[in-house]
Amino acid sequence: MSGPLALRMRGVVKRYGKITAVAGLDLDVREGTCVGLLGPNGAGKSTTMRLLTAQSIADEGELEVLGFRLPAESKAARAQCGVVPQLDNLDVTLTVEQNLLVFTHLYRIGRAERTDAIERALKMANLVERRATRVDKLSGGMRRRLLIARALVHRPRLVLLDEPTVGLDPQVRQELWALIDALRSEGTTILMSTHYIEEAQRLADTVLIMSHGSAVAVGPPAELVLEHAGREVIEVYGPPTRLAEVESEAGAAGLRTRRTGTSISILGVDGTGYRAEGERRPANLEDVFVLLTGEEIA
Ligand code: ATP
């Protein structure tokens, strides 16, 4: 892929005492694309997001956001970024509109443009009807939409979303996906951390799978699936002893496997003529994730 970079990380390291939360990470995000940082708990996703918003400072490596070097030029970078934190830090004593107004001031949006900026953000997040509602009267999903709207008032070129749908029910999650997708189709660059595979698969042009602070794979979801899990998988259910047998047989035939609690998936069986008693299904990003991180999905 070509085009200017909205984000660039090279050899970035962040330690907390003896823990290395980010262990030499490289990341390129092209302008106008959506990149998903996917990883199990503790993989270093939030730390990476904090580094990119200059809430924490890297111990080693280079970071550039919209062409600005961090931490030296973090103020200039932040002015053109929208940051959606994982934790809801809205002012619950204010209305939806007042929360947005505070941010138009923070981002120094001129008086003449404030109304338009707020209207646009309200529309984008589908909160026009709720403009006068106090935040403590909103549902969890609406609050999350407001958090996103608040990050958009100044029309940022880059939006950083830390676990945008964590803890939300599936229906609300889909509403947020629609919002993120709309943002992406407007040409806004997006970096999103998530531990929901489906979220990454649906929204991200490129996925970076993290484990223990490092990238274990990076690429478009469909390419990662093809490269690591092939086209087809045979999923075998059975008692642990049976699964162990299936695993060693597949291993002996040179095929990769991955476990879930109750089944084993034999990857890349397409074109091999390999037979096992089980269900054939298309390979997916979850197969890749489990294969590379060794983690099951919650
Ligand atoms: P989650 O999905 O659980 O949010 P994550 O991928 O975002 O996980 P991080 O929160 O970045 O992971 O954590 C990476 C590692 O760094 C973990 O081992 C964590 O305990 C450690 N860590 C993160 N922040 C701090 C901190 N402020 N002080 C000490 N250790 C920290």
Side-chain angles (χ1 to χ4, degrees), residues 201 221-222 224-235 258 265-270 279-288:
Q201 183 140 25
L224 292 183
V225 173
L226 203 56
E227 181 185 342
H228 296 279
R231 283 180 210 284
E232 248 189 343
V233 162
I234 302 178
E235 193 156 349
R258 67 103 163 163
S265 297
I266 309 167
L267 310 179
V269 292
D270 36 294
E279 210 175 284
R280 275 185 183 259
R281 60 163 177 83
N284 58 40
L285 197 58
E286 185 175 325
D287 295 317
V288 180

Side-chain angles (χ1 to χ4, degrees), residues 40 60 83 85 104 130 189 210-211 240 274 295:
E60 289 172 34
V83 178
T104 62
R130 293 289 176 163
T189 311
M210 274 186 96
S211 179
Y274 191 79
E295 298 269 341

Side-chain angles (χ1 to χ4, degrees), residues 49-252:
M49 299 304 270
R50 280 201 301 276
L51 291 170
L52 291 168
T53 52
Q55 287 165 279
S56 51
I57 308 291
D59 296 306
E60 289 172 34
E62 293 170 21
L63 284 104
E64 269 173 44
V65 173
L66 299 169
F68 298 106
R69 296 292 289 262
L70 299 191
E73 300 172 310
S74 58
K75 219 171 158 188
R78 218 174 311 160
Q80 295 184 48
C81 283
V83 178
V84 183
Q86 192 177 131
L87 290 177
D88 174 340
N89 59 359
L90 295 162
D91 188 331
V92 294
T93 65
L94 299 181
T95 66
V96 166
E97 192 166 0
Q98 286 164 341
N99 266 278
L100 296 177
L101 184 63
V102 169
F103 267 61
T104 62
H105 285 281
L106 279 177
Y107 281 111
R108 302 180 192 286
I109 298 175
R111 185 180 292 268
E113 293 151 52
R114 260 176 232 157
T115 313
D116 279 356
I118 291 173
E119 285 316 308
R120 191 183 159 274
L122 285 171
K123 271 198 201 120
M124 191 98 201
N126 206 4
L127 286 168
V128 175
E129 320 252 285
R130 293 289 176 163
R131 64 195 315 145
T133 306
R134 251 173 65 145
V135 167
D136 54 7
K137 303 280 187 298
L138 296 178
S139 70
M142 289 174 192
R143 285 173 73 139
R144 204 61 72 91
R145 292 210 303 265
L146 178 56
L147 266 181
I148 298 180
R150 196 184 66 174
L152 303 179
V153 282
H154 58 306
R155 287 182 169 264
R157 288 166 59 200
L158 169 68
V159 175
L160 302 165
L161 298 135
D162 194 5
E163 301 269 5
T165 67
V166 72
L168 298 176
D169 63 48
Q171 198 187 339
V172 177
R173 185 172 299 152
Q174 299 211 357
E175 278 172 30
L176 284 158
W177 287 346
L179 168 54
I180 297 167
D181 201 39
L183 199 60
R184 186 175 73 148
S185 49
E186 278 191 347
T188 308
T189 311
I190 299 170
L191 178 69
M192 171 182 76
S193 76
T194 181
H195 58 247
Y196 296 116
I197 308 265
E198 196 188 348
E199 187 157 286
Q201 183 140 25
R202 284 197 184 209
L203 297 175
D205 302 298
T206 301
V207 168
L208 182 141
I209 301 179
M210 274 186 96
S211 179
H212 302 292
S214 304
V216 289
V218 57
E223 283 180 22
L224 292 183
V225 173
L226 203 56
E227 181 185 342
H228 296 279
R231 283 180 210 284
E232 248 189 343
V233 162
I234 302 178
E235 193 156 349
V236 183
Y237 289 86
T241 46
R242 171 76 190 125
L243 298 185
E245 276 168 30
V246 172
E247 197 170 30
S248 72
E249 282 163 18

